[in-house]
Amino acid sequence: VRVSQAIQFPDREEWKSDIDAVVFPAMVQGMQLTCAINGEVLARRFGGNTPEQWMEIFREHRWDLEDEAEALIQAQQEDAHGWVWLS
């Protein structure tokens, strides 16, 4: 678990095939937010063609992606469902 100010990112990422995205939690002052990045975005940015590859890529780039998610959370960029999407 990496702690940055009041935002924590537990290592609990998973692939959600219904939305084709890696979904990972963020704990913000005790409340859980859901962050996500879809396979298409991972492929465009880092390569890979399968959910397994994208999970591996997510783990390789975890710190950078968490920094990005943190900036979006701080800028209150949640969607209508309260999710933060990296693009």
Side-chain angles (χ1 to χ4, degrees):
V1 177
R2 206 162 60 106
V3 179
S4 170
Q5 285 142 8
I7 302 174
Q8 300 176 319
F9 294 93
D11 295 345
R12 289 201 315 258
E13 66 282 345
E14 61 179 316
W15 178 258
K16 292 274 197 193
S17 54
D18 56 329
I19 56 172
D20 289 329
V22 175
V23 174
F24 58 105
M27 298 299 292
V28 184
Q29 296 164 339
M31 292 177 49
Q32 183 170 314
L33 269 181
T34 301
C35 303
I37 182 168
N38 72 29
E40 198 177 289
V41 173
L42 286 164
R44 187 177 69 238
R45 289 170 59 171
F46 306 109
N49 331 311
T50 65
E52 294 75 26
Q53 289 174 328
W54 294 323
M55 286 295 291
E56 191 58 41
I57 286 166
F58 176 85
R59 290 181 182 116
E60 271 175 48
H61 297 277
R62 171 190 300 283
W63 282 15
D64 291 334
L65 294 168
E66 288 175 352
D67 284 346
E68 209 175 303
E70 182 179 339
L72 290 169
I73 291 166
Q74 289 172 337
Q76 299 183 323
Q77 296 298 310
E78 297 91 3
D79 71 7
H81 304 288
W83 285 36
V84 174
W85 284 88
L86 281 64
S87 54

